[in-house]
Amino acid sequence: MSIVVAKNAGFCFGVNRAVELVEQAAGQGREVVTLGPIIHNRHQVDRFAQMGVQVIHEPSQAKPGQTVVIRSHGVTKAVYDALEAMGVQIIDATCPFVKRIHGIVSNARQEGRLPLIIGTRDHPEVEGIAGWCDDCRIFQTPQELEEWIKSTPEAANLPICIVCQTTSTENLWKSCVKIAKKEFTNLKIFDTICKATEFRQDEAAKLSALCQAMVVVGDASSSNTGRLAMICREHCQKVVLVDNAAELEPGFFDGATTIGITAGASTPAWIIKEVNKTMSEITNVEAVQEENFAELLEQSIKTLNTGDKVTGIVTGIGSTEVQIDLGTKHAGYIPYDEVSADPNLKPEDILKVGDEIEVFVVRVNDQEGTCQLSKKKLDGMKVWDEMATWCEEKTVVEGTITEENKGGLVANIKGIRVFIPASQSGIAKGGDMTGMVGQTVSLKITEVNRARRRVIGSIRAVTAEARKAAQEKIWAEIEEGKKYHGTVKSLTSYGAFVDIGGVDGMVHVSELSWNRIKTPAEVVSVGDEIDVYVISFDPAKHKISLGYKTAEMNPWNQFMTNYNVGDVVDAKIVKLMTFGAFAEIIPGVDGLIHISQIADKRIGKPEDVLSEGQQVQVKITDVDAENKRISLSIRALLESTEDEAAEETAEETAEETTEE
């Protein structure tokens, strides 16, 4: 006869945390009370009572100055608020997994969704969850859910959020989810079963199938412990639920060669050890450790079934298949086309002899002793699981755009085809999406329908979040005079709108150029990247006025930097007046050629010599910086030329005289 203790028997993380918080508080000399029994175990509650920790059942029973511990099941928001109003110190020992469900149902109501809670209606955890939303429905069985749907015609079109009590069974949850997916058109699913509970229940099922008798240790009032006993009875004929070692009866184990022990999440380790010790004395068997359970399971693997997920070791890579040792009598093999979904990958590229690999059982032939396996199918199943998780958690993922069609784009993510509607592509309506083919993009998964093998994604959701974050950053840091590098988004008759990183600002036409312009298009075009600075902003109205022209761009400053009195420059006649002509030296800077400085002789009017648009050479004769006036002269250049010619003639005459 042998005794095997389940590895995950006893306190789960949430219960262990709650017990430790009470012990710490009591150890500090505080007056500690718990709102309800801290866990469903009278022995642990009695132990705390000996430490001075009392149990209260209503917030009104708490006294100012006391430390009140909220148990791991959690409480309603109303209870929490009542405790805060009492002026007591609160230690919230609510299990983090349960706390997450509180947040889910609360957010669901804010979004206008009706939460459906799958669990035991009068369980403290379920009551606490329901207290974090103003309206919900609780269902203990799939049949209750179906009956409610049938009796509520509008239910199918309601926006629904479905969650589960952490200690519920996987079968119950999956049955309810299946119904919900079939009936509701607007549904959000949150798998909130605690994995520790799932592991414990799965382990209890496996252990009870291997044993001739099972002992479930825990408080009979604990639904968690009661469910473990129920699961064990599905696989084993002899199952007993005991509160402690004293309740064990020797005759119960007659005829059993292997006896299993499991325990609920509220069962302290010292009680499990006492039960183990007492059973070993009754059956005359030495007490065993938890590791034996893993050994027993390993030894029990004798058959394989289609659909199983198993782990094996790569023993060889042949020309058509990969050989796998599964630790059973079957010879496992993976055909080459079942190794990977990528046809370009060779098995030796991703596998080598000695690798541990998880595979899916496709076909078992007991007569031949062979087992056909698939890595590709299991990888595909895992990807679908990942897709569902990404959708639920709104994770940003990367995919490669493989094609464009009439409705939008198609991306490839780990071999799964993800459709991105045109409205979610980030391209303006009517825009060309062809250029995105081949690009790697960031997107969010918004819908996963495994049954129809349909996945929908959104690039726009990612860019919208990024733009929102950029906007918040700009409004938090903006100040007058701050410079930005932006992109011209659109033009109007009165200015240009520039995107400075998520927020649009406007550059008025008067701030685009120092020169007089008729339209912004004379200076900038849509798509241009330009440097701008903040002139003013109004956070309340979300308006920003930007400037583009700078002092460095001021034509007068450029003239003063690059030209001096006495310089000879090329200029263009831009306007003729009775008293002279205006000539443009550089765009935006004109100088006056007085009528007396146009020619080296007296003229009647400027147009007798000059015409608009004519290019002439002029000499800068004077600059009035204060009034920004420039005097120019053509005559000065003509007189200079005559003087030079006279000097040359005189020099030539002198040379001829010298020669004679």
Side-chain angles (χ1 to χ4, degrees), residues 189-230:
I189 301 170
F190 296 90
D191 185 353
T192 51
I193 291 181
C194 174
K195 294 304 177 185
T197 301
E198 184 181 335
F199 292 152
R200 182 182 287 102
Q201 292 175 354
D202 183 57
E203 192 177 61
K206 290 178 180 177
L207 181 57
S208 59
L210 300 171
C211 299
Q212 289 76 48
M214 282 293 300
V215 176
V216 181
V217 187
D219 196 312
S221 65
S222 168
S223 64
N224 178 282
T225 304
R227 187 163 281 111
L228 278 180
M230 180 184 71

Side-chain angles (χ1 to χ4, degrees), residues 164-461:
C164 188
Q165 180 184 342
T166 58
T167 56
S168 182
T169 64
E170 189 73 17
N171 288 338
L172 171 64
W173 169 244
K174 286 183 176 178
S175 297
C176 291
V177 168
K178 185 177 180 180
I179 294 169
K181 285 183 175 179
K182 181 181 177 182
E183 299 293 340
F184 300 119
T185 58
N186 188 350
L187 174 67
K188 280 191 176 181
I189 301 170
F190 296 90
D191 185 353
T192 51
I193 291 181
C194 174
K195 294 304 177 185
T197 301
E198 184 181 335
F199 292 152
R200 182 182 287 102
Q201 292 175 354
D202 183 57
E203 192 177 61
K206 290 178 180 177
L207 181 57
S208 59
L210 300 171
C211 299
Q212 289 76 48
M214 282 293 300
V215 176
V216 181
V217 187
D219 196 312
S221 65
S222 168
S223 64
N224 178 282
T225 304
R227 187 163 281 111
L228 278 180
M230 180 184 71
I231 291 171
C232 290
R233 290 189 180 102
E234 293 175 357
H235 304 278
C236 181
Q237 291 183 348
K238 281 190 174 185
V239 179
V240 61
L241 193 160
V242 298
D243 179 67
N244 55 69
E247 296 183 358
L248 291 169
E249 297 180 4
F252 178 76
F253 306 108
D254 292 346
T257 57
T258 305
I259 305 168
I261 300 175
T262 187
S266 300
T267 307
W270 59 271
I271 291 181
I272 300 172
K273 289 180 180 179
E274 279 188 0
V275 169
N276 188 6
K277 182 181 178 183
T278 302
M279 284 177 61
S280 66
E281 292 171 351
I282 292 173
T283 59
N284 199 25
V285 175
E286 185 178 349
V288 295
Q289 301 300 316
E290 288 82 350
E291 301 88 72
N292 287 10
F293 174 50
E295 295 174 10
L296 184 63
L297 282 179
E298 187 68 28
Q299 295 168 3
S300 71
I301 301 176
K302 296 179 181 178
T303 59
L304 295 171
N305 298 303
T306 299
D308 286 349
K309 299 176 187 177
V310 294
T311 301
I313 303 295
V314 178
T315 58
I317 300 177
S319 58
T320 60
E321 63 188 32
V322 178
Q323 289 86 43
I324 306 294
D325 179 8
L326 298 173
T328 68
K329 63 181 181 181
H330 297 88
Y333 67 95
I334 310 174
Y336 267 18
D337 59 357
E338 289 297 325
V339 173
S340 172
D342 187 347
N344 298 318
L345 274 179
K346 297 179 180 178
E348 55 267 30
D349 293 337
I350 56 176
L351 297 174
K352 62 180 184 295
V353 174
D355 282 353
E356 185 176 81
I357 180 175
E358 189 177 15
V359 288
F360 179 85
V361 177
V362 177
R363 187 179 299 107
V364 179
N365 190 324
D366 289 323
Q367 290 183 345
E368 296 180 3
T370 60
C371 179
Q372 182 180 332
L373 308 169
S374 173
K375 179 178 180 296
K376 180 173 74 174
K377 278 188 173 62
L378 189 59
D379 289 344
M381 292 165 64
K382 288 180 178 179
V383 172
W384 278 99
D385 290 340
E386 283 184 305
M387 288 284 180
T389 301
W390 293 338
C391 181
E392 179 181 332
E393 298 179 355
K394 299 180 179 178
T395 305
V396 177
V397 295
E398 286 193 344
T400 302
I401 303 298
T402 56
E403 63 179 274
E404 177 211 1
N405 57 38
K406 185 171 65 175
L409 298 168
V410 175
N412 181 291
I413 301 179
K414 292 189 175 183
I416 300 294
R417 190 175 185 272
V418 180
F419 176 64
I420 303 167
S423 62
Q424 299 300 314
S425 67
I427 303 295
K429 187 175 181 180
D432 184 13
M433 295 185 289
T434 308
M436 295 188 69
V437 176
Q439 291 186 17
T440 298
V441 298
S442 296
L443 67 152
K444 283 188 176 184
I445 305 301
T446 57
E447 181 183 331
V448 176
N449 189 322
R450 191 177 300 203
R452 297 177 62 183
R453 302 189 68 78
R454 182 180 70 180
V455 182
I456 297 177
S458 171
I459 298 172
R460 183 180 175 185

Side-chain angles (χ1 to χ4, degrees), residues 559 563-568 619-624:
F559 172 81
Y563 297 90
N564 298 297
V565 173
D567 288 352
V568 176
K619 184 175 183 178
I620 301 173
T621 57
D622 186 50
V623 176
D624 183 350

